[in-house]
Structure formats: structure tokens, C-alpha cells
Amino acid sequence: MKDQPKVTALAGGVGGAKLVLGLSRLLHKDNLNIIVNTGDDDRLNGLQVSPDIDTITYTLAGVANDETGWGIKSDTFNGASHLKLFYEESWFTFGDKDLATNIKRTDLLNSGLSLTQTTDIISKSLRVLSKIIPMSDSSIRTVLKTKTGGELSFQEYFVKYQSLPEIVDIWYKNIEISTPNNKFINALDNSDMLIITPSNPFLSIGPIINMKGIMEKIKRFKGTRIAVSPIIGGKALKGPAGKIIKELGENPSCYAVAKYYKELIDVFIIDEVDYKYASLIHDLGMKVVIAPIIMRSLLDKITLAKNILCINNH
Ligand code: GDP
Ligand code: CA
């Protein structure tokens, strides 16, 4: 495996999981560090939920529900209907198998283990070999400030209110008093390639890159830094990324994402339909690669991963 690059990939849920699955099929497990957003984590119905970690784990285990983008495929919902008897937060639904994952995580955390150790135990139980690393063991929480003045946790915004409220600001609670995972720092120090997967820039990648010292580290990264656009033809394929870019005052396009990653990446990969943005993005100081970046099949995921691994910027 000596001729393979060592890769650190930053990921949220669905968009990140697709590319990470492709990468995991090409790279030896020791050559891929998957750093996952924990800004969406919460305590709901007495359980500690880590939705992005679960989406990545379930995808790599081959059990993810690709239709919903969360939970386990063909799951049943008996526990969820009974939870409604006891908890007000019953807008947050768990499938029965998914409930088991969340019980196990909560149990391990209650026994004093870190989220990193907990994630490792759960992924090994699901026979996932890849290294899934929570961005931090501290509790960093994404908060969305709405136009009407209220503040929502990520799960309230995304699940309870279905991403409908208009957003004026996003911030990451506790980020200034939290430390990034040591395994993340080591991965950055020892990788040849940094890949920002096509996850939501503000909600999934924002919490990771805004942790103390991370931006500076990424700016000094010695290898090639590549991002894939989650916005194609002015829209997100799933979720509120396009809507949020607009509400924060930008035109929703791959260019807005490139601006957000300015100085953090060397290469930005955009879809063929967005070719007209290439020169604008190039002027931000990054190379532009135009490629098919919609990942429907496993082959699409592996092909995009292969194209990325072939990029050599130096
Ligand atoms: P979440 O945490 O589950 O909401 O998901 P992420 O933040 O990881 O990903 C959401 C983003 O993934 C959205 O902005 C989508 O546009 C993007 N996305 C989903 N599927 C694809 C795909 O096949 N290709 C690309 N380029 N982006 C995708
Ligand atoms: Ca997420």
C-alpha cells in the first residue's frame, strides 16, 4: 500500500458518505481517515444521537437507508411509536435497529468512554474497517439563528421544522472552548491529500474547519487539498444547502461554495453543467476540475474517488 496516498476526508452525512464509500473501496483502511461532523449531535428521547457518524457508519456497513438519508434500510418503527408516549421530542424518529445503535452509544458514553472510542466500537460491531473519527470529543453544537429572532438546534431546524425557517446566521456553540480530536490533528500531519467531500459547507464542513487551529493547519497542509461541490446547477441534490446560501445573501452556486473554501483548497471539482463558473473560481486562486460529480451508483462513487486520487497538484 506504499504507493497509495494517505488521505484525510472531511464529511457530514449523505453527500460525504457517498464519496467516502467510493474512497473506501480504493484505499487501504490505514490510508483513509474519515473526519466526521458532530455539530448535529444532540440528546433526544434520553439518547445521545450522532446522525452524521451514523450515516457514514451505516453507509460503509452497507445498511444505510438511501431513500431517507438517515437510519437503516428496511427498519421497523415499533419503538418509535411507543417513544411518543413518553417523550415530547417525538418529532425525532428512530427505527428499531437505529434505536439499538443509539442505546449502545449512550450506554458507552455514560460508562465514561469518549465519542471516539464509542464510534470505534459501534463501527467494528457493524464490521466497518474504515477509520471513522468524530471531529472532536467535546460537545460542539450547530445553532441556527432564524429571521424571527429565535435560535434552533440543528435537529430542531432540520427535522422538527423541515429546514423551513429563514436563516440569518449560523454559529457553533462551544467551539471556542473545544479541542479538535487528536486523531484529526495527526491525520492532517500525516496525509498526502485532504478531501472536502460534497457535504453541506455551513452545516457539515463549517463546524469541522472552524474548530480551534484547524484553518491554520489546513492552510499549511503539505499535500494536495481538494473539494467537491455539493451544489450542482444552482441547487443542492438533497437538503437545505442552496436555500441557506441564498438566505445568507449569496447566489446559490458552486462559486459560492468555492468562495467559502478560498485559501483552504488547491483544487475544486465542479459538475459539467457549471462549466461557466470555471474562470471565476480559478480567479479565487484554485484549480478547477470539471467532472461528473453526481453519485448515484456505486460505480459513480468509485469513479469520482478514483478521479480525485489521480489529481496530483505538485
Ligand atoms: P447531511 O448531513 O446528511 O445533511 O448531508 P451532507 O451535509 O453530508 O450532504 C448534503 C449535501 O450533499 C447537499 O448539499 C447535496 O447537494 C450533496 N450531495 C448529495 N448527493 C450528492 C452527490 O451525489 N454529488 C454531489 N456532488 N453532492 C451531493
Ligand atoms: Ca448532518
Side-chain angles (χ1 to χ4, degrees):
M1 298 309 140
K2 273 201 197 116
D3 48 352
Q4 284 196 337
K6 285 194 191 309
V7 173
T8 295
L10 312 186
V14 173
K18 289 184 183 178
L19 183 56
V20 154
L21 179 61
L23 290 166
S24 75
R25 295 296 173 106
L26 297 170
L27 293 167
H28 184 271
K29 66 173 177 55
D30 293 337
N31 291 337
L32 176 62
N33 292 288
I34 307 163
I35 313 302
V36 187
N37 171 44
T38 59
D40 300 2
D41 292 16
D42 212 331
R43 196 166 184 95
L44 295 162
N45 297 190
L47 296 169
Q48 195 65 30
V49 305
S50 292
D52 285 351
I53 289 175
D54 288 349
T55 299
I56 299 283
T57 309
Y58 294 158
T59 301
L60 294 177
V63 300
N65 184 336
D66 295 331
E67 263 135 60
T68 54
W70 56 269
I72 293 180
K73 65 182 167 195
S74 312
D75 211 347
T76 49
F77 290 86
N78 297 306
S81 61
H82 213 67
L83 274 174
K84 290 191 199 318
L85 292 177
F86 304 121
Y87 290 97
E88 273 179 23
E89 310 107 334
S90 55
W91 44 267
F92 194 88
T93 308
F94 296 93
D96 295 330
K97 290 180 184 171
D98 195 24
L99 198 52
T101 306
N102 285 286
I103 290 172
K104 183 65 178 171
R105 174 169 35 243
T106 308
D107 187 20
L108 291 170
L109 290 170
N110 285 347
S111 75
L113 295 193
S114 67
L115 185 61
T116 304
Q117 293 167 315
T118 302
T119 302
D120 201 45
I121 291 170
I122 293 175
S123 61
K124 288 210 170 90
S125 304
L126 288 164
R127 297 196 175 78
V128 173
L129 299 175
S130 306
K131 287 186 273 175
I132 304 174
I133 303 167
M135 66 184 205
S136 173
D137 282 324
S138 320
S139 145
I140 298 168
R141 298 290 173 262
T142 298
V143 180
L144 298 105
K145 190 164 184 209
T146 66
K147 200 170 180 192
T148 51
E151 286 186 344
L152 300 173
S153 72
F154 176 82
Q155 298 306 334
E156 285 173 323
Y157 169 73
F158 193 67
V159 183
K160 187 174 185 182
Y161 297 112
Q162 308 276 303
S163 312
L164 290 173
E166 197 170 322
I167 297 309
V168 290
D169 199 12
I170 296 171
W171 57 287
Y172 313 111
K173 193 173 161 189
N174 294 338
I175 201 156
E176 60 298 333
I177 53 162
S178 301
T179 40
N181 198 326
N182 258 335
K183 291 187 179 210
F184 178 22
I185 303 290
N186 285 337
L188 280 177
D189 285 340
N190 294 300
S191 292
D192 308 303
M193 218 178 232
L194 173 70
I195 301 175
I196 303 184
T197 65
S199 282
N200 186 312
F202 312 101
L203 297 177
S204 292
I205 305 298
I208 305 178
I209 61 178
N210 281 293
M211 283 189 299
K212 229 188 293 174
I214 295 300
M215 282 225 200
E216 294 71 21
K217 250 191 134 37
I218 293 179
K219 284 182 186 164
R220 290 198 311 265
F221 186 76
K222 61 180 168 35
T224 308
R225 305 163 304 171
I226 301 167
V228 178
S229 179
I231 302 288
I232 297 168
K235 286 198 200 87
L237 292 181
K238 201 173 172 59
K243 177 177 177 282
I244 289 177
I245 292 174
K246 208 168 172 180
E247 289 168 1
L248 296 179
E250 289 269 351
N251 187 22
S253 67
C254 57
Y255 177 60
V257 180
K259 269 207 278 189
Y260 188 70
Y261 293 147
K262 188 172 153 59
E263 291 176 16
L264 298 178
I265 57 169
D266 307 302
V267 181
F268 193 53
I269 310 185
I270 62 173
D271 195 81
E272 287 144 333
V273 298
D274 288 319
Y275 71 91
K276 58 180 182 294
Y277 290 105
S279 63
L280 267 179
I281 295 171
H282 188 261
D283 290 346
L284 293 171
M286 50 185 88
K287 274 191 190 172
V288 181
V289 170
I290 299 177
I293 57 168
I294 297 184
M295 297 169 279
R296 290 197 184 91
S297 64
L298 178 61
L299 183 63
D300 295 341
K301 292 166 190 139
I302 294 174
T303 305
L304 180 56
K306 203 166 172 182
N307 286 338
I308 293 172
L309 296 177
C310 288
I311 293 172
N312 186 351
N313 201 42
H314 295 285

